[in-house]
Amino acid sequence: MKKWGETGKEAIFSTLRTKAEQLLASESAEQQVRAGNEVELLLHELEIYELELQMQNEELKASHNSLEIERSKFAGLFHSAPVGYLILNPNGLIKEINQTGAILLNAHPSELHDKNLATFIVSDSQRDYYAFIKHIQISPNGAQCELRLKTENAKAKFIQFNATTVINPVTEEKAHYITITDITSAKKIQQRLTETSERLNQTLRASQTGTWMVNPDKKEIFLDEYSKNILDLHTGAAVTTNLLSARIMEEDRSKLAYLFADCKTGCEIDLELRLLPIKREIKTVLVKGKIVERYDGSNYFAGIITDITERKRHLELANEHEKTQQRLLYKASIEAQEREREKIGSALHDSVCQILYGIRFNINHISKKGALKTEFNNINNLLDQAIGELRTLSIELTPAILKDFGFTTGLRDMIRRLETVGFKVHTTIDPRADDLPEETQLYIFRIIQELLNNSIKHSGSSAAKVKICTENSAVNILVSDNGRGLSDGVEESCKQGSGLRGIKNRVALLKGKMEILNQNGVTFKIYFPQDNLQA
């Protein structure tokens, strides 16, 4: 009978031995002869089985040596692995542990045998540890947890446990196979990242800034909560192009194409977008971003959104203040010029002209005596010409006729003095222009005077047209000629010509608008709104 632990070969050998013993015990001679033959056969078979057993023994020794070699290899890998490995019995006692695991537990592997793993875990993590052990006993897929180990100093050591339960096929006992990894550095990096992220969030909130990212595949824009608040998009889903476009003023919607353009290295985004008004307020946001490269080599845009409504408002106020300061500066300059003109005009009229009148009176008195009459006539003609030019210059410098007889009369008088045989001016002046403020009248007078002088001196024109129209206290002015026009173009002429710059300054002082048409001569269209005529 086959006994417990016998191999198949041993069972066969035992059967043959029993059979031989039975044959030898037979009392029949015939049976003994027949048994002798069978014994020889059995002996032969026994020899064969003996050889087979020797060969199997050699194979077992070779297999044992191979297993020892492989065991040594795996034992070396087990102890030199960068991850800690240990085996716990169901009671939580350490049965096996590698060198890395022992280092993490701050002990020698021989000192850890049959030690309870729970004794190496800080009290704050004990509850989590026992819950972890209980979970791996009932979970077929194993479990994972993060715990803190006891250390000699006060520094924390964070360990990640990954475990599964294995049943021994021979003893049918359970064992917990556990890997332990030191994640202290990763925890510190995570902590720094959390702190940095929190500081960044605080900074973004304080600066009224949110973040965004474009998904180039699905044409979606991912916004953080603050960005959604800035854009007044209260939705939990990803923001599509159409949804974002619906919040932006129509004139700025074309700018969104840049967000989904081909991402090229070095490409950056810097856009100002105006949002449709909510509660009658137009909000302006600044969208800035740059290229971010993914791990797979693809690119996408990411950046920040800032509410610059207040900044724009303050900037507009600053620009308006600057323009006001410039207008005041221009006004002071022009007023100073007018005062100097008035002084020079008064000096010419009251001093030089009076002297010339006296000279002419004396020359006339001498000429009545009859001597050198022809020569005195020539001198009188020259004096009359000088007096006329001085009077004209005095009037141009100080148009007192504006104060004495009104704007319309003064303007017509100035135009009449500028007209010559080869240059005629057609005028259409609304009489209501006399009701304009005196300062406005003077500015318009100087503008038209400068434009007509330019036509006479530079354009070679033979005719000009002046038209002034007032309606609801607003003023429309048109001055044109039939000359050569501006040879250098409008932009260049405005930069080079001091006369045109002076005209632009006067128009700006009254917050007016000027349009120059450089075709078939040159035409100036100037408009002063009603509310801006008080300089």
Side-chain angles (χ1 to χ4, degrees):
M1 180 180 290
K2 181 180 177 181
K3 297 180 180 180
W4 178 259
E6 292 181 329
T7 64
K9 295 289 185 181
E10 292 172 341
I12 295 173
F13 178 76
S14 179
T15 303
L16 291 173
R17 184 182 181 87
T18 302
K19 185 177 180 181
E21 290 176 349
Q22 291 175 352
L23 288 173
L24 289 174
S26 175
E27 295 179 355
S28 169
E30 184 178 350
Q31 289 178 342
Q32 290 178 356
V33 173
R34 198 166 44 248
N37 295 332
E38 291 183 1
V39 167
E40 292 180 358
L41 181 62
L42 288 173
L43 291 174
H44 178 70
E45 290 181 358
L46 286 173
E47 290 175 355
I48 292 175
Y49 281 119
E50 183 181 6
L51 291 174
E52 289 180 352
L53 288 174
Q54 291 177 355
M55 293 175 63
Q56 287 183 356
N57 187 41
E58 294 296 328
E59 290 178 357
L60 287 173
K61 288 181 178 179
S63 298
H64 179 73
N65 291 335
S66 297
L67 288 174
E68 283 297 321
I69 293 172
E70 294 298 324
R71 182 181 178 280
S72 298
K73 290 181 181 179
F74 283 105
L77 290 174
F78 178 75
H79 287 292
S80 62
V83 178
Y85 293 105
L86 59 86
I87 299 175
L88 298 182
N89 67 6
N91 297 323
L93 302 181
I94 300 173
K95 308 306 292 184
E96 295 278 351
I97 188 168
N98 68 348
Q99 187 65 35
T100 304
I103 292 173
L104 290 175
L105 298 180
N106 197 26
H108 192 272
S110 60
E111 300 173 356
L112 297 173
H113 188 71
D114 286 337
K115 291 290 183 67
N116 195 328
L117 181 60
T119 60
F120 297 92
I121 298 174
V122 298
S123 57
D124 294 343
S125 299
Q126 290 282 337
R127 178 179 295 181
D128 294 334
Y129 168 72
Y130 287 115
F132 166 71
I133 293 297
K134 183 178 180 181
H135 182 69
I136 61 176
Q137 292 176 348
I138 60 176
S139 173
N141 299 321
Q144 175 180 310
C145 73
E146 294 180 3
L147 304 171
R148 282 196 307 124
L149 296 183
K150 294 178 180 179
T151 57
E152 294 181 353
N153 50 37
K155 295 182 179 179
K157 181 183 286 188
F158 291 90
I159 300 297
Q160 178 176 298
F161 283 13
N162 288 275
T164 185
T165 299
V166 177
I167 300 176
N168 191 310
V170 178
T171 64
E172 296 185 354
E173 292 181 353
K174 290 183 178 181
H176 305 316
Y177 283 62
I178 301 176
T179 63
I180 54 177
T181 308
D182 187 352
I183 59 171
T184 305
S185 298
K187 278 289 186 180
K188 290 180 179 179
I189 293 173
Q190 183 180 1
Q191 179 64 28
R192 287 197 296 269
L193 181 61
T194 301
E195 293 172 356
T196 302
S197 177
E198 184 60 28
R199 288 196 298 269
L200 177 60
N201 288 334
Q202 294 293 339
T203 302
L204 291 176
R205 290 190 186 97
S207 60
Q208 296 184 329
T209 301
T211 58
W212 59 271
M213 182 187 75
V214 170
N215 184 336
D217 300 327
K218 298 182 179 180
K219 302 297 183 183
E220 293 176 341
I221 302 177
F222 295 94
L223 305 172
D224 64 1
E225 289 302 317
Y226 197 79
S227 295
K228 290 181 179 180
N229 290 336
I230 291 176
L231 298 172
D232 297 306
L233 293 172
H234 304 291
T235 174
V239 179
T240 63
T241 310
N242 293 334
L243 183 59
L244 181 60
S245 179
R247 280 291 299 119
I248 297 173
M249 296 189 72
E250 187 174 358
E251 298 85 348
D252 293 345
R253 290 175 185 172
S254 60
K255 298 179 182 178
L256 288 180
Y258 289 103
L259 296 180
F260 300 101
D262 293 334
C263 299
K264 298 179 181 178
T265 303
C267 182
E268 294 188 2
I269 289 177
D270 191 345
L271 304 175
E272 281 191 15
L273 302 175
R274 292 171 299 163
L275 305 182
L276 290 172
I278 296 179
K279 298 180 180 179
R280 299 182 180 180
E281 179 185 3
I282 296 178
K283 185 184 292 185
T284 304
V285 298
L286 176 65
V287 179
K288 297 178 74 70
K290 62 183 299 184
I291 292 294
V292 178
E293 185 174 351
R294 285 177 168 170
Y295 66 91
D296 59 358
S298 62
N299 297 328
Y300 66 94
F301 278 120
I304 60 173
I305 297 178
T306 307
D307 185 354
I308 59 171
T309 305
E310 283 298 313
R311 189 191 310 174
K312 291 284 288 184
R313 187 175 67 83
H314 288 302
L315 183 60
E316 289 174 358
L317 290 175
N319 290 336
E320 184 62 30
H321 178 71
E322 184 179 356
K323 290 179 180 179
T324 301
Q325 293 295 101
Q326 290 179 349
R327 284 196 296 269
L328 292 175
L329 183 61
Y330 292 149
K331 181 179 179 181
S333 175
I334 291 174
E335 288 177 350
Q337 291 178 11
E338 292 297 334
R339 286 194 296 270
E340 290 302 315
R341 288 171 182 263
E342 187 175 354
K343 289 180 181 179
I344 296 172
S346 298
L348 291 175
H349 182 271
D350 299 337
S351 178
V352 179
C353 283
Q354 298 304 321
I355 293 172
L356 290 175
Y357 279 127
I359 294 172
R360 188 175 64 177
F361 176 78
N362 287 297
I363 290 175
N364 287 334
H365 180 71
I366 296 172
S367 65
K368 289 179 181 180
K369 297 180 179 180
L372 302 173
K373 185 174 183 180
T374 301
E375 289 78 359
F376 280 115
N377 287 336
N378 291 334
I379 293 173
N380 279 326
N381 290 334
L382 292 174
L383 287 172
D384 289 339
Q385 184 177 351
I387 291 171
E389 290 182 359
L390 283 173
R391 290 184 62 190
T392 300
L393 181 59
S394 176
I395 292 173
E396 289 181 354
L397 289 172
T398 309
I401 193 171
L402 292 179
K403 298 179 181 179
D404 298 337
F405 300 100
F407 174 75
T408 303
T409 302
L411 187 62
R412 291 185 184 278
D413 181 71
M414 181 267 291
I415 292 173
R416 178 182 59 79
R417 292 176 181 278
L418 291 176
E419 284 185 318
T420 62
V421 176
F423 182 77
K424 298 296 182 183
V425 181
H426 176 72
T427 59
T428 303
I429 303 174
D430 192 332
R432 290 175 292 182
D434 289 335
D435 299 329
L436 294 172
E438 291 185 3
E439 194 172 22
T440 303
Q441 293 181 11
L442 180 59
Y443 283 7
I444 296 174
F445 179 89
R446 292 301 187 194
I447 290 171
I448 295 174
Q449 184 182 44
E450 182 65 30
L451 290 175
L452 291 178
N453 278 323
N454 287 342
S455 295
I456 296 170
K457 296 175 182 178
H458 306 298
S459 71
S461 58
S462 60
K465 180 168 64 175
V466 175
K467 183 177 180 180
I468 301 177
C469 224
T470 63
E471 185 176 356
N472 298 327
S473 299
V475 179
N476 284 285
I477 301 172
L478 184 143
V479 179
S480 63
D481 62 37
N482 61 355
R484 293 185 296 270
L486 302 175
S487 57
D488 296 329
V490 175
E491 295 288 337
E492 195 64 28
S493 297
C494 289
K495 292 178 182 178
Q496 295 180 357
S498 59
L500 286 180
R501 287 201 303 271
I503 292 171
K504 288 183 65 177
N505 290 341
R506 293 179 188 274
V507 173
L509 279 173
L510 296 179
K511 300 180 183 179
K513 297 179 181 179
M514 181 171 68
E515 180 183 3
I516 303 176
L517 304 177
N518 192 24
Q519 187 177 6
N520 298 325
V522 62
T523 300
F524 293 85
K525 294 182 177 180
I526 303 171
Y527 171 73
F528 295 115
Q530 174 184 359
D531 298 335
N532 299 340
L533 290 179
Q534 290 292 345

